Amino acid sequence: MAVTLLPTLSPPVSRAAAAFVLLRRAPAKAFSSLRPPPNPRRFLASASASSPYPATPPTALRPLSTVASSCTAARATPARRDLLMLGIETSCDDTAAAVVRGDGEILSQVVSSQADLLARYGGVAPKMAEEAHALVIDQVVQKALDDAKLSGSDLSAVAVTVGPGLSLCLRVGVQKARQVAKSFGLPIVGVHHMEAHALVSRLVNKDLDFPFLALLISGGHNLIVLAHSLGQYVQLGTTIDDAIGEAYDKSARWLGLDMRKGGGPALEELALDGDPNAVNFRVPMRQHKDCNFSYAGLKTQVRLAIESKNLCTGDIPISSASGEDRQSRANIAASFQRVAVLHLEEKCQRAVEWALKMEPSIKYFVVSGGVASNKYVRTRLHQVAEKNGLELVSPPPSLCTDNGVMIAWTGIEHFVAGRFEDPPAADEPDDMQYELRPRWPLGEEYSEGRSVARSLKTARVHPSLTSMIQGSLQK
Ligand code: KG4
Ligand code: ZN
């Protein structure tokens, strides 16, 4: 199925306004306290009385991990194969929609990227991104329906990203989803963006059963999770500062690359011409015997390397650089990529060991999220998987970067499990404020020291793993 790429849009915003609202992608927040994910099935049975998760929050759209189905049996549920799910994604800088059938057939996939805006302003500016989403959302959703040769009344439900992401942007997608759902009386499934990056691998590989290990690498997140079952995730590691995608994007910008094709892809291309051992960057976090990541220090090392070589990357774009200058930049790019990915490899190796102790039946190692479309990343992590007797599953690039298919598919997975919301009331106001989850951890978190012990207890992990992890933390 071909992906329809709509032309990129640049809403008129003044440079001063842009500079004012410019934000880096929000790094994943390190949550110090543990909050075990509710067991959705158990929650179904006990939502009313003693549960810490309210059974009926006041707002219309409730995050999946905190709710059981609120849908009454009024609609006859079609067989899974016949389900038709519209997925809508607006959490960051891509406006995407897709229609997917319950058996995984992709009927349409439409993406409108804000790459031009990113290139011009060097990052995601929430207000501008919101305007750009608002400008194209109707067109993107309509095209997804048209390409699938369907109308809204043919759909079974609508899935939409409710977090994590930029609130202003998420709101555009959620509003559209509710509008479609209201018009056609459709249930809604609120989707976790990072869960969707992980679960789309189950559309790609139908044999991929739980439990599995997943590395999710994007512009704002660097997560390694053990997926026990649908909605049940244990976070083995996260970034303590920046995600790897942010490091690719910033390094690409500092190297004067053409950001219109995206920082990551531009740097990957230049790195092909460089010597990966030319610059001796330090591998982050080697002294930390955990599965967490850090990319802020590596970013700084790249900046210092550029400065020390007196490269005028700010004034001279790569396309106008001399042969020698270009080679220096390529060497820095290749050296950065080698170390950035080596950091992934080392932490993933440890995570695989932890995960196999917890769940010896694991067969698959999923690598997904925008950065997973990088060929070098895939090759190196394939080796990690192979060395540990696991099969690497990495979706094709169009399903690794943000897309509507992953949202629709995750919607299907949850819909089939009975987790969805009633269609909006016919008199629901269009400007209703919905509950969004701009920061939403994916499952329970492991962290160092006391909280590891606490989380191991909470997760009822095998005692041998408890002592192994505690031992390695003391080393
Ligand atoms: O998942 P994604 O599309 O959006 C977020 O959820 O953030 O990931 C976007 C990130 C960006 O940082 C982008 O530069 C990076 O993925 N990326 C890549 C490549 N393609 C996209 N990084 C390295 N190599 C690539 N080929
Ligand atoms: Zn993403």
Side-chain angles (χ1 to χ4, degrees):
M1 171 85 229
V3 184
T4 307
L5 296 172
L6 294 181
T8 62
L9 289 159
S10 308
V13 180
S14 77
R15 217 164 243 284
F20 181 69
V21 291
L22 254 176
L23 274 194
R24 263 188 355 182
R25 284 164 195 274
K29 184 172 176 240
F31 288 85
S32 53
S33 65
L34 291 166
R35 204 186 55 150
N39 175 333
R41 288 188 204 289
R42 202 185 57 215
F43 183 75
L44 265 173
S46 65
S48 54
S50 57
S51 169
Y53 304 100
T56 49
T59 44
L61 196 71
R62 282 166 278 144
L64 279 170
S65 69
T66 66
V67 290
S69 163
S70 67
C71 216
T72 54
R75 287 173 81 86
T77 311
R80 175 167 185 148
R81 189 177 45 83
D82 301 325
L83 285 176
L84 290 168
M85 185 71 71
L86 169 67
I88 299 177
E89 157 62 36
T90 61
S91 67
C92 191
D93 53 347
D94 288 321
T95 316
V99 179
V100 178
R101 195 187 284 282
D103 59 6
E105 187 186 347
I106 299 169
L107 301 182
S108 62
Q109 184 180 2
V110 183
V111 181
S112 170
S113 137
Q114 299 178 9
D116 283 353
L117 278 181
L118 278 175
R120 226 183 321 157
Y121 300 113
V124 182
K127 194 71 193 130
M128 268 193 296
E130 177 200 20
E131 285 173 24
H133 284 303
L135 214 57
V136 295
I137 187 76
D138 289 345
Q139 200 190 338
V140 166
V141 168
Q142 191 55 50
K143 179 124 186 60
L145 289 171
D146 291 349
D147 288 359
K149 301 190 173 42
L150 296 171
S151 94
S153 57
D154 298 315
L155 296 171
S156 313
V158 184
V160 60
T161 309
V162 297
L166 299 167
S167 297
L168 288 173
C169 299
L170 290 166
R171 203 169 296 290
V172 176
V174 168
Q175 205 157 7
K176 180 66 189 178
R178 294 195 74 83
Q179 194 192 79
V180 174
K182 190 167 89 172
S183 305
F184 300 100
L186 302 170
I188 303 183
V189 190
V191 169
H192 188 299
H193 180 86
M194 298 312 289
E195 183 186 29
H197 272 306
L199 293 188
V200 75
S201 55
R202 281 164 51 84
L203 177 156
V204 172
N205 183 332
K206 298 283 177 351
D207 296 332
L208 203 169
D209 281 333
F210 294 100
F212 60 86
L213 182 67
L215 172 71
L216 308 173
I217 36 180
S218 67
H221 292 86
N222 226 94
L223 292 174
I224 183 138
V225 297
L226 172 52
H228 284 287
S229 59
L230 184 65
Q232 290 268 299
Y233 308 100
V234 173
Q235 189 181 299
L236 301 179
T238 183
T239 178
I240 61 164
D241 42 52
D242 293 328
I244 185 171
E246 155 74 13
Y248 264 95
D249 291 339
K250 275 287 151 48
S251 301
R253 170 162 290 275
W254 291 334
L255 287 166
L257 307 191
D258 181 359
M259 300 295 286
R260 282 171 307 183
K261 45 177 118 166
L267 193 145
E268 179 183 15
E269 195 183 318
L270 181 65
L272 291 174
D273 299 334
D275 171 2
N277 295 303
V279 188
N280 196 14
F281 292 129
R282 265 190 325 281
V283 183
M285 304 263 292
R286 275 200 157 146
Q287 72 282 19
H288 294 261
K289 308 293 178 194
D290 59 17
C291 300
N292 287 331
F293 303 89
S294 164
Y295 281 97
L298 182 57
K299 252 172 45 177
T300 306
Q301 291 184 68
V302 168
R303 192 170 47 73
L304 295 175
I306 293 169
E307 283 169 14
S308 75
K309 296 212 173 334
N310 288 326
L311 299 171
C312 301
T313 53
D315 307 328
I316 307 173
I318 189 87
S319 51
S320 318
S322 67
E324 193 187 340
D325 178 334
R326 188 177 188 285
Q327 189 57 52
S328 296
R329 297 190 205 196
N331 288 346
I332 293 172
S335 303
F336 158 78
Q337 178 161 266
R338 184 182 70 79
V339 171
V341 178
L342 186 53
H343 183 33
L344 290 182
E345 291 168 55
E346 291 181 354
K347 295 298 182 160
C348 286
Q349 176 57 41
R350 180 171 291 114
V352 169
E353 287 163 19
W354 286 14
L356 283 172
K357 282 274 182 186
M358 291 164 92
E359 291 276 12
S361 61
I362 289 176
K363 291 196 193 65
Y364 295 98
F365 178 29
V366 167
V367 181
S368 187
V371 183
S373 45
N374 180 297
K375 287 202 189 66
Y376 181 74
V377 169
R378 293 162 89 98
T379 307
R380 299 296 301 193
L381 292 173
H382 183 257
Q383 287 170 14
V384 172
E386 215 169 31
K387 191 172 134 200
N388 291 280
L390 300 178
E391 187 176 325
L392 185 90
V393 179
S394 206
S398 65
L399 297 182
C400 276
T401 48
D402 286 353
N403 64 85
V405 171
M406 68 184 198
I407 306 303
W409 175 254
T410 303
I412 289 167
E413 295 245 35
H414 282 284
F415 188 79
V416 168
R419 275 173 247 131
F420 51 87
E421 295 290 318
D422 280 328
D427 59 354
E428 179 178 292
D430 284 343
D431 59 354
M432 175 153 159
Q433 292 296 304
Y434 317 107
E435 184 187 350
L436 303 168
R437 284 292 194 100
R439 288 186 179 278
W440 185 7
L442 184 57
E444 174 188 3
E445 187 194 347
Y446 277 124
S447 56
E448 291 176 82
R450 276 206 311 263
S451 43
V452 168
R454 209 147 39 102
S455 65
L456 290 171
K457 205 167 145 200
T458 319
R460 287 192 207 93
V461 166
H462 193 278
S464 67
L465 177 69
T466 311
S467 53
M468 186 180 104
I469 295 174
Q470 283 168 342
S472 73
L473 286 170
Q474 282 156 13
K475 272 185 209 158

